[in-house]
Amino acid sequence: MGQGSCRGLVQQSDRVYDVCVVGGGIVGLGAARALNIQYPDMKIVLLEKEKELASHQTGHNSGVIHMGIYYTPGSLKAKLCVEGALRTYQYCDERAIPYKKCGKLIVATNPEEEGRLDALFEKGLKNAVPGLAMVDKHQILELEPYCTGGVRAIHSPNTGIVDWKRVACSYGDDFTAAGGTVLLNREVKQIKDVGREIRVDCSNKERILAKHVITCAGLHSDRVAQKAGGKQEPTIVPFRGEYLELRPDKRYLVNGNIYPVPNPDFPFLGVHFTPRMDGAIWVGPNAVLAGSREGYSWRDVDKRDMAEMASFRGLWKLAVPNLSYGLKEMAKSALMPLQLSDLQRFIPQLKMSDLVRGSAGVRAQAMAPDGSLVDDFQFDESCHGMLHVRNAPSPAATSSLAIADLIVEQAAKHFKL
């Protein structure tokens, strides 16, 4: 139980459903599962364009169970993350899915960062993050003996790690066990209101009929919404995060998650040390514009994706004031030694020979036409019977069970279930 089979979930039935969920990542799977729990008599189908579930953002993230420290008090991100983390641990216990509560330090290395650290601590307290504490240099060293660059830190003992793909596929197991249908290799080409039902045309020429459609398409959320007549904005801009890894004989340098204090002048979090369930230690990521929405390396370039990014004015408005930052990130991507100084702020004894290139993921960054990053969860409705999850940013995996309930709540409201 709880193994999470990502393949072979296809079940045969007729092709008329009460609800069709588009997208087999952790948000779509969580939503389909929650719908089945709330409405057990409904016929629900989930469509995924890949040959297995959780192939993109869910299967390429850092594996952290976040606790909700960073997010604006009162925001959906804050509320759903705090609730979602607690529910994730409970779910993993029930399904015998392994996890580790390895904790997290957000480390200040200078007086300027200490000021921001204090503000962040207050934010975490307002978000009711459990167990949060401020620790001094000596306490840092008790938790992370090699993190000698830190002067003060926020300690979050309940932050953990898990294999999110395994969790997502376990949601899929729950869904199909309760009678739900998962259809793989179904890329959606068009979604059209044809009267009494909504018709979903797939790339294999198959047509799915459903009374209601919910799209949770992640990296393609804007395009899928537009295929249903939805608005163009917010637009998804793909940013690749590339990780380094500590060599196996250097993993002793890190016990838990070690994060920097966020710099408000930059749109991304900064490099950090992240343990993995397999014992690896990931280091990073950077943040570079990807050449494709599924571009996990510099070799992955899609002409359509590149043309759309080049013509999107919002990206240019973000890029111009952040040009120096962006060029530095690109340089770090090409030249590993340029990342070393950032890492040595925390663990000074780290050497270039201790690091190797690791994995990469692509973040679906929703962006407004003015270049601002859409920071919170966002839904819209293209027409009666269609609901689109337009933005489900990190910590979407941590928040997935709570997000799923919110999607069901939105569906009940919009669809009059």
Side-chain angles (χ1 to χ4, degrees), residues 228-251:
K231 59 186 181 182
Q232 184 173 354
E233 284 86 20
T235 298
I236 295 298
V237 177
F239 284 91
R240 184 171 61 253
E242 300 162 333
Y243 286 90
L244 304 177
E245 287 189 31
L246 289 183
R247 292 186 182 277
D249 62 336
K250 294 295 181 178
R251 291 174 180 173

Side-chain angles (χ1 to χ4, degrees), residues 109-406:
T109 60
N110 58 55
E112 179 188 353
E113 290 181 346
E114 283 192 88
R116 299 203 303 268
L117 189 75
D118 289 329
L120 188 61
F121 184 64
E122 290 301 316
K123 187 179 287 187
L125 293 178
K126 288 180 180 178
N127 289 337
V129 176
L132 210 60
M134 187 71 77
V135 296
D136 60 22
K137 185 177 182 68
H138 298 293
Q139 292 168 305
I140 291 173
L141 295 176
E142 289 175 3
L143 295 163
E144 294 287 352
Y146 298 95
C147 186
T148 58
V151 293
R152 266 199 312 145
I154 295 171
H155 180 218
S156 172
N158 293 300
T159 297
I161 56 173
V162 74
D163 180 344
W164 282 117
K165 183 165 186 173
R166 183 169 177 177
V167 173
C169 293
S170 181
Y171 293 172
D173 290 345
D174 295 344
F175 174 61
T176 55
T181 300
V182 172
L183 299 176
L184 304 175
N185 298 301
R186 264 71 168 190
E187 182 177 357
V188 171
K189 292 298 184 182
Q190 186 180 35
I191 304 174
K192 187 174 182 180
D193 187 341
V194 292
R196 295 181 62 183
E197 288 96 19
I198 296 166
R199 192 184 74 210
V200 182
D201 297 338
C202 301
S203 55
N204 64 349
K205 308 300 183 183
E206 186 175 7
R207 289 181 170 181
I208 307 294
L209 291 176
K211 296 175 184 175
H212 310 288
V213 172
I214 300 172
T215 67
C216 308
L219 285 158
H220 302 278
S221 60
D222 55 342
R223 289 177 177 170
V224 172
Q226 288 174 60
K227 289 175 182 178
K231 59 186 181 182
Q232 184 173 354
E233 284 86 20
T235 298
I236 295 298
V237 177
F239 284 91
R240 184 171 61 253
E242 300 162 333
Y243 286 90
L244 304 177
E245 287 189 31
L246 289 183
R247 292 186 182 277
D249 62 336
K250 294 295 181 178
R251 291 174 180 173
Y252 68 87
L253 292 171
V254 175
N255 292 326
N257 294 281
I258 302 174
Y259 275 60
V261 180
N263 187 334
D265 293 334
F266 302 127
F268 299 109
L269 187 60
V271 297
H272 42 272
F273 298 82
T274 304
R276 300 279 294 175
M277 288 301 297
D278 62 2
I281 304 292
W282 284 13
V283 182
N286 58 8
V288 295
L289 192 66
S292 165
R293 295 197 182 199
E294 298 168 10
Y296 297 103
S297 76
W298 285 102
R299 297 184 298 275
D300 298 327
V301 177
D302 183 276
K303 291 181 180 179
R304 177 190 174 188
D305 292 346
M306 292 291 287
E308 286 186 0
M309 286 188 284
S311 63
F312 178 46
R313 63 184 184 277
L315 178 58
W316 289 102
K317 290 184 177 181
L318 174 73
V320 171
N322 291 287
L323 183 60
S324 175
Y325 175 81
L327 291 173
K328 287 178 181 176
E329 291 295 291
M330 292 174 66
K332 290 176 184 177
S333 172
L335 302 169
M336 282 176 56
L338 295 181
Q339 298 190 48
L340 186 61
S341 60
D342 288 341
L343 303 172
Q344 287 175 329
R345 293 172 53 232
F346 307 99
I347 303 179
Q349 73 180 75
L350 196 67
K351 300 176 183 177
M352 196 64 243
S353 58
D354 299 334
L355 300 165
V356 295
R357 289 198 180 275
S359 301
V362 179
R363 173 181 179 174
Q365 179 59 64
M367 193 176 297
D370 64 0
S372 61
L373 306 183
V374 180
D375 190 50
D376 215 341
F377 297 97
Q378 188 172 116
F379 303 87
D380 72 34
E381 189 180 16
S382 57
C383 70
H384 180 70
M386 300 187 205
L387 178 67
H388 308 292
V389 181
R390 295 300 300 262
N391 192 44
S394 178
T398 299
S399 308
S400 55
L401 290 170
I403 294 171
D405 286 350
L406 178 62

Side-chain angles (χ1 to χ4, degrees), residues 25-75:
I26 198 165
V27 173
L29 287 163
R33 173 183 176 273
L35 278 165
N36 235 352
I37 292 171
Q38 185 69 25
Y39 303 101
D41 295 329
M42 279 189 174
K43 289 192 294 182
I44 304 169
V45 63
L46 182 142
L47 307 181
E48 166 54 42
K49 77 182 184 70
E50 303 294 351
K51 63 183 179 181
E52 64 179 59
L53 299 170
S55 293
H56 292 295
Q57 290 187 105
T58 304
H60 290 84
N61 66 27
S62 64
V64 176
I65 302 172
H66 296 281
M67 294 307 297
I69 302 168
Y70 298 97
Y71 316 121
T72 302
S75 66

